[in-house]
Amino acid sequence: MNLAEKISPVNDTSAVETPAVSVKGISKVYPGGVQALDNMTLDFPKGELISLLGPSGCGKTTLLKIIAGLIPATSGEVLVNDKPVTRPGNDRAFVFQDFALMPWATVMRNTAFGLELRGMDKSEREAIAEKYIKDVGLSGFEHSYPHELSGGMRQRVGLARALSMDADVLLMDEPFSAVDEQTRRKFQEDLIRLVEVEKKTFIFVTHSIEEAVYVSDKIALLLPRPSRVSEIIRPDICRELGPDAMRRDSAYLDTVEQIWSSLRSYVE
Amino acid sequence: MKLFGVHLPMMSSLLIWAVLWEIVGQLELTMLLPPLSSIIDKMIDIVPTASFMIALGETGRAFLVGTSAAIVIGVPVGILMGQSVLIDRLLLPWVNMFLSAPLTALVPVLMILFGIGEQTVIITTTLFAIWIIVLNARAGVKQISPSLVEMANCFGASWWQSFSKIYVWAALPEILAGVRIGFIRAVKGVIIGQLLVSIVGFGRLFELYSANFLMEHFWALLLVLFFFAFLMAEGLAALERRVSYYASNR
Ligand SMILES: Nc1ncnc2c1ncn2[C@@H]1O[C@H](COP(=O)(O)OP(=O)(O)OP(=O)(O)O)[C@@H](O)[C@H]1O
Ligand SMILES: [Mg+2]
């Protein structure tokens, strides 16, 4: 097991420093009686990108929403920077699968919306938004409306909005699933770069094993509903190779294969 | 509309009816229907008169106050109904009932409660307009994508912020459609109210003209009223078209 190091979920070796987000024994039963999560425990170390990978309906979105403070857990607790989560806060920002942009507002207003809600005044928040619009490569589209943008560009707005909040933790729910493959690859590279420069913790939900292996520092494989962490995989890949060479690299391919064989048993 | 390859303006069908009306009027088949030309003559006569202007002022004021109340109350109530299942269960049966109820029958009761005067007319106007506004605002909220609401919560929106920055805007296409229909109903409401109270505004004039068989006056007044109602509906429809660009992708 030298290609991808297996770590047991509880005794995470890198958790010497306090983790950015710590999920402790979270269970979630929806009012209808569906149990989405069962006693899940998982740490998210600072400055890393951790992917949540698991079969459809296993509770990934549920976990993200609980961390975001959008819905309460039935039991257990979530700590963000050692403080228990009770409701949404400035330390977390969400990137939505369906972008969740306001169609009546321009790219600028959408990007600055989180800051607008905080009550920051217009010139200040637009200066910040401007920077992130540039960072995600949307300069020149400040005054466009979402319906004038492609899916990929819309998600960039969603990303810029989350980044402009300057939160410690970014929660991303399948952010690239609604964009085409080329855009997706571009996004993945941008994301890797972002993780390096932004010093933030990214919690990233995806369906794609390749994507997870490519972008993640760590991958948490989740069991089917009610969900727990089945294993944590640290892809031992060398990003210096460049995206194309890396996708042919044997370490990369072996990790993909390993995850696939773990997941296959549930899919069948 | 196109006829023999010629592009006809929107209202050209009205022209045909106007000509038909003129012909029937000129034939003097019935005194109830004078020719259109003499009605328009009469319109030019009576519009500048003081009694008309006073009536117009009274009607306009009752209409404005009544419809404003319908919007100010109706939109938030509709939005609350869309947000909360509990409030919805509580109010929906009543809203549906009043929407289809013969509200005219209520006016005498209102007269007892609020006196024979402007107040009753205003309340009648509100009652005619408000239900469809409530229902449309509710429908508008029901179709908001849940992630937009989650987005607002997630970025720390207060109740008031998500109401004023998300709900109202996301439901705006439906709200405006409701307001347009509500306004058309309110025209009915204000006139019915005034007719039954019969001492204010256009209602008094209608009473006066029809009681004295002044059919030209009567029709002239009706045409003026149509004209105002038409302008208003078109104005609101134009506003609706301005927000329709995002109605399909909320
Ligand atoms: N609001 C809700 N009420 C009741 N049950 C729900 C609710 N939201 C989700 N569920 C159920 O909880 C389970 C987990 O849902 P969740 O959306 O978290 O899955 P997911 O892992 O994000 O799936 P996907 O990969 O398809 O997005 C599913 O079985 C779903 O049916
Ligand atoms: Mg999901």
Side-chain angles (χ1 to χ4, degrees):
Chain A
M1 208 57 336
N2 51 1
L3 298 172
E5 165 194 0
K6 263 197 192 179
I7 310 158
S8 93
V10 202
N11 303 322
D12 190 346
T13 46
S14 69
V16 202
E17 193 188 4
T18 53
V21 177
S22 177
V23 171
K24 290 190 182 343
I26 287 284
S27 299
K28 174 70 186 179
V29 182
Y30 276 109
V34 177
Q35 177 157 26
L37 302 172
D38 180 27
N39 195 17
M40 177 181 282
T41 297
L42 188 58
D43 279 347
F44 299 90
K46 285 197 175 100
E48 289 195 356
L49 188 150
I50 295 96
S51 291
L52 302 175
L53 192 63
S56 189
C58 78
K60 304 180 293 293
T61 301
T62 305
L63 178 63
L64 229 50
K65 284 184 184 171
I66 291 173
I67 297 174
L70 285 170
I71 55 174
T74 312
S75 65
E77 69 172 350
V78 174
L79 303 178
V80 174
N81 296 327
D82 268 342
K83 286 190 293 289
V85 165
T86 48
R87 54 196 189 84
N90 288 343
D91 46 2
R92 285 149 289 149
F94 211 108
V95 179
F96 293 84
Q97 181 173 5
D98 61 355
F99 321 137
L101 302 180
M102 300 176 292
W104 56 87
T106 59
V107 167
M108 174 57 89
R109 174 141 190 254
N110 266 299
T111 307
F113 190 65
L115 302 171
E116 179 182 336
L117 291 178
R118 277 188 200 167
M120 187 183 283
D121 60 60
K122 197 171 156 114
S123 55
E124 196 178 344
R125 67 176 189 248
E126 292 200 336
I128 296 174
E130 183 72 56
K131 171 186 181 298
Y132 287 101
I133 290 174
K134 189 160 159 283
D135 275 8
V136 299
L138 279 181
S139 294
F141 291 95
E142 288 85 351
H143 304 292
S144 305
Y145 287 86
H147 70 276
E148 300 165 334
L149 306 177
S150 70
M153 290 158 91
R154 288 184 209 181
Q155 192 54 293
R156 287 169 191 275
V157 180
L159 193 60
R161 178 178 57 196
L163 289 173
S164 70
M165 296 300 282
D166 197 25
D168 303 329
V169 180
L170 267 93
L171 306 165
M172 310 175 91
D173 191 4
E174 299 184 36
F176 309 151
S177 66
V179 303
D180 63 80
E181 188 58 31
Q182 284 113 302
T183 317
R184 194 178 173 121
R185 292 205 173 180
K186 178 78 175 60
F187 261 130
Q188 292 167 357
E189 270 134 45
D190 289 351
L191 183 63
I192 292 170
R193 190 179 49 83
L194 265 173
V195 178
E196 276 160 16
V197 298
E198 287 281 343
K199 305 274 171 272
K200 294 189 160 117
T201 308
F202 290 73
I203 303 180
F204 182 83
V205 169
T206 178
H207 267 139
S208 156
I209 299 174
E210 284 84 2
E211 178 167 276
V213 175
Y214 186 48
V215 301
S216 314
D217 293 310
K218 262 195 249 165
I219 302 169
L221 284 190
L222 305 185
L223 295 170
R225 185 162 59 81
S227 202
R228 274 169 299 117
V229 180
S230 105
E231 56 185 304
I232 290 184
I233 291 166
R234 186 180 277 278
D236 190 19
I237 56 170
C238 178
R239 294 217 180 91
E240 280 81 62
L241 292 176
D244 297 319
M246 210 203 78
R247 284 195 168 90
R248 286 190 303 269
D249 185 45
S250 67
Y252 168 83
L253 293 171
D254 286 344
T255 314
V256 170
E257 188 50 39
Q258 183 204 349
I259 295 174
W260 174 233
S261 55
S262 300
L263 284 179
R264 187 159 46 199
S265 52
Y266 314 130
V267 179
E268 276 156 8
Chain B
M1 197 168 68
K2 265 191 162 181
L3 202 63
F4 307 121
V6 183
H7 216 82
L8 296 175
M10 279 262 290
M11 302 301 152
S12 36
S13 73
L14 279 183
L15 221 65
I16 299 171
W17 289 109
V19 171
L20 208 64
W21 184 342
E22 181 67 25
I23 293 169
V24 173
Q26 294 290 357
L27 292 175
E28 293 187 15
L29 293 176
T30 159
M31 67 161 301
L32 289 179
L33 198 69
L36 191 60
S37 54
S38 58
I39 292 171
I40 290 172
D41 275 348
K42 190 58 73 191
M43 210 153 87
I44 294 165
D45 275 354
I46 60 171
V47 167
T49 60
S51 71
F52 180 88
M53 279 302 168
I54 292 169
L56 180 65
E58 283 171 349
T59 308
R61 192 167 59 233
F63 184 84
L64 278 184
V65 176
T67 49
S68 305
I71 294 173
V72 169
I73 302 167
V75 171
V77 168
I79 289 180
L80 281 177
M81 284 171 72
Q83 287 176 329
S84 149
V85 182
L86 192 71
I87 297 177
D88 198 40
R89 291 258 170 83
L90 221 55
L91 297 183
L92 191 60
W94 292 99
V95 174
N96 275 326
M97 196 186 85
F98 276 108
L99 186 72
S100 48
L103 294 169
T104 315
L106 273 182
V107 179
V109 183
L110 295 177
M111 286 197 304
I112 297 168
L113 287 173
F114 301 101
I116 303 176
E118 205 174 7
Q119 223 177 345
T120 300
V121 177
I122 290 173
I123 290 167
T124 310
T125 312
T126 307
L127 278 183
F128 268 75
I130 196 169
W131 312 109
I132 190 69
I133 294 179
V134 169
L135 274 187
N136 263 41
R138 170 183 181 272
V141 168
K142 289 245 171 217
Q143 56 68 48
I144 296 182
S145 112
S147 74
L148 211 51
V149 176
E150 270 169 6
M151 185 275 289
N153 286 340
C154 206
F155 289 108
S158 65
W159 183 87
W160 172 247
Q161 281 176 323
S162 42
F163 177 83
S164 63
K165 289 178 195 281
I166 301 288
Y167 281 103
V168 170
W169 288 92
L172 197 59
E174 280 82 4
I175 291 177
L176 281 179
V179 168
R180 182 168 50 79
I181 305 170
F183 271 32
I184 294 167
R185 287 172 158 241
V187 173
K188 255 188 341 193
V190 76
I191 298 302
I192 287 174
Q194 289 182 346
L195 273 174
L196 293 180
V197 173
S198 85
I199 57 157
V200 276
F202 282 176
R204 189 187 62 228
L205 292 184
F206 271 125
E207 265 303 304
L208 193 74
Y209 297 157
S210 58
N212 297 303
F213 291 101
L214 296 167
M215 289 328 280
E216 284 173 359
H217 288 75
F218 179 86
W219 281 110
L221 188 57
L222 208 57
L223 282 188
V224 170
L225 204 65
F226 276 160
F227 177 70
F228 277 123
F230 174 79
L231 270 191
M232 215 168 50
E234 281 302 298
L236 281 167
L239 211 60
E240 256 177 83
R241 281 192 292 275
R242 280 191 56 180
V243 299
S244 68
Y245 71 87
Y246 71 75
S248 55
N249 52 24
R250 273 166 290 182

